[in-house]
Amino acid sequence: MESAASELLIDGAPFFRLYKDGRIKRLSGTENVPPGLDPKTNVESKDVLYSQEIAQSVRIYVPGTVVTSAQKLPLLVYFHGGGFCIESAFSPTYHNYLNALVAEAKIVAVSVNYRRSPEHPLPAAYDDSWTALKWVASHYIGTGPEQWLNHYVDFENVYLSGDSAGANISHHLAVKITNEKLDGMNLVGIILTHPFFWGKEPVGDEVKKPAIRAKMDGIWRLAYPTTSGSDDPWINPIDDQSFGRFLGCKKVLVCVAEKDVMRHRGWYYCEKLKNSEWGGEVEMMEAQGEDHVFHLNKPNCPKAVAMLKKVAEFINQVTKRRRASGGQSKL
């Protein structure tokens, strides 16, 4: 007879199962691949510890052309998705995606690993991501511990990005950069892909079925057991009175998918941002007929390829502007 402790508490299949004794069985995102030279894209990567205290690392990617280029490259700091509970910066899903993006955009990328719920409930992932970002910024004068960042990165041209939970992290760090006055990098923009935002009340044509909304609420409570609920500013920053006011960049790209349950939150984010005190430029890209993180599950489909190119173009707008003007002006 099954003991009470081993009874299922939350069946999050095909992603995870959580048991009453606190154990989690991850069903997805458990595989890791090593860094190194990717022969398909000629992108090289390596893992570097950013915090001994929490034993977490980043995976850094550089394009093959970097060693022959005299010009420093834009930097993308990336935060993986997975509902704060699954996946990692070292999974084949994210390794392949960032190899492809770095090759397409000719940038340096830093993919951040962070501690996950439920073993390490939120705000652990936010705290770890902030620690990683500060570690990256410590290289801006060229004397940091990691030579790839010292030699190859243009810290006047920095972007944050992530999918799902990682997009949520990117937004909050873009605000924290302003509030904490982080030195060492000029944050030009953020790229939010299928962002994990939610709220107690539906917005627009967002799903109203109690079972689906309860499932979304449950995922959030699993990640953040001490949360105040689905209107907690961590999961619903859009309805906060100060939304947009302290966003530490002037360019935002939001990507949504037509069949994604969180699609409407992405549109809502853009609408509210445009009408806030922010004053920057926001772009939207919607993939018709696609679902949540389709670009990671089907990276070679035409819409995923188009999205990759759009992200690369968004990042390189400032670089093209500088080359055209011959200047080094900040955005």
Side-chain angles (χ1 to χ4, degrees):
M1 183 176 176
E2 190 177 37
S3 68
S6 62
E7 288 178 8
L8 193 63
L9 180 63
I10 298 176
D11 187 357
F15 305 110
F16 65 86
R17 289 191 177 99
L18 182 68
Y19 296 88
K20 287 185 177 179
D21 62 0
R23 291 180 298 112
I24 184 170
K25 183 176 182 181
R26 292 181 171 89
L27 308 174
S28 175
T30 58
E31 183 185 356
N32 290 338
V33 293
L37 181 64
D38 178 49
K40 184 178 179 181
T41 59
N42 199 30
V43 170
E44 191 168 0
S45 59
K46 64 178 172 180
D47 296 342
V48 182
L49 193 70
Y50 69 81
S51 172
Q52 290 187 344
E53 182 182 354
I54 57 174
Q56 293 296 323
S57 300
V58 295
R59 180 162 290 182
I60 307 175
Y61 298 80
V62 295
T65 55
V66 73
V67 293
T68 58
S69 174
Q71 191 169 23
K72 292 195 173 186
L73 303 178
L75 172 67
L76 176 73
V77 184
Y78 194 89
F79 306 94
H80 71 82
F84 301 101
C85 298
I86 63 170
E87 285 290 356
S88 78
F90 316 121
S91 76
T93 297
Y94 290 100
H95 184 70
N96 293 336
Y97 174 71
L98 285 161
N99 275 327
L101 181 57
V102 166
E104 178 69 29
K106 302 295 187 294
I107 57 174
V108 175
V110 174
S111 183
V112 177
N113 208 49
Y114 52 79
R115 292 172 295 170
R116 301 170 301 183
S117 294
E119 299 95 330
H120 303 280
L122 291 174
Y126 295 121
D127 294 341
D128 294 355
S129 299
W130 179 244
T131 298
L133 194 61
K134 289 191 294 182
W135 178 84
V136 170
S138 73
H139 295 78
Y140 78 104
I141 59 172
T143 58
E146 174 45 50
Q147 294 308 307
W148 279 8
L149 298 182
N150 289 333
H151 293 159
Y152 302 140
V153 170
D154 175 9
F155 283 96
E156 293 297 316
N157 198 0
V158 177
Y159 295 79
L160 305 182
S161 182
D163 63 281
S164 195
N168 177 300
I169 292 172
S170 297
H171 164 81
H172 285 293
L173 292 195
V175 172
K176 194 162 186 174
I177 283 175
T178 299
N179 292 338
E180 300 284 333
K181 296 179 171 57
L182 178 65
D183 292 325
M185 59 172 60
N186 177 44
L187 183 64
V188 177
I190 58 175
I191 302 145
L192 309 182
T193 302
H194 308 165
F196 183 20
F197 297 131
W198 200 240
K200 186 176 180 180
E201 298 299 327
V203 296
D205 294 326
E206 192 174 76
V207 62
K208 296 176 177 62
K209 291 181 180 177
I212 296 177
R213 298 200 69 82
K215 184 177 181 179
M216 295 296 294
D217 293 344
I219 292 172
W220 172 241
R221 285 193 177 276
L222 171 64
Y224 205 161
T226 60
T227 181
S228 60
S230 292
D231 279 336
D232 187 323
W234 288 109
I235 190 66
N236 185 14
I238 309 168
D239 285 333
D240 190 280
Q241 289 185 347
S242 64
F243 177 69
R245 189 183 308 163
F246 303 111
L247 194 63
C249 61
K250 289 299 180 184
K251 291 171 61 64
V252 173
L253 171 63
V254 179
C255 300
V256 297
E258 182 187 18
K259 294 182 178 180
D260 186 1
V261 69
M262 290 177 279
R263 165 188 179 261
H264 299 283
R265 291 282 157 175
W267 280 104
Y268 187 50
Y269 182 99
C270 288
E271 290 165 8
K272 292 280 282 192
L273 195 57
K274 287 177 182 178
N275 294 322
S276 73
E277 300 174 26
W278 176 54
E281 301 173 13
V282 59
E283 297 182 45
M284 278 292 298
M285 183 179 192
E286 180 166 357
Q288 299 296 319
E290 300 293 351
D291 211 332
H292 195 64
V293 298
F294 77 94
H295 65 296
L296 300 177
N297 300 324
K298 303 183 296 180
N300 297 318
C301 76
K303 289 173 185 173
V305 172
M307 185 171 145
L308 186 83
K309 290 182 179 297
K310 175 62 179 177
V311 171
E313 177 190 339
F314 180 82
I315 294 172
N316 281 310
Q317 285 175 356
V318 171
T319 302
K320 289 179 180 178
R321 232 177 267 171
R322 285 180 179 176
R323 287 174 181 169
S325 63
Q328 295 291 323
S329 59
K330 285 187 180 182
L331 190 74

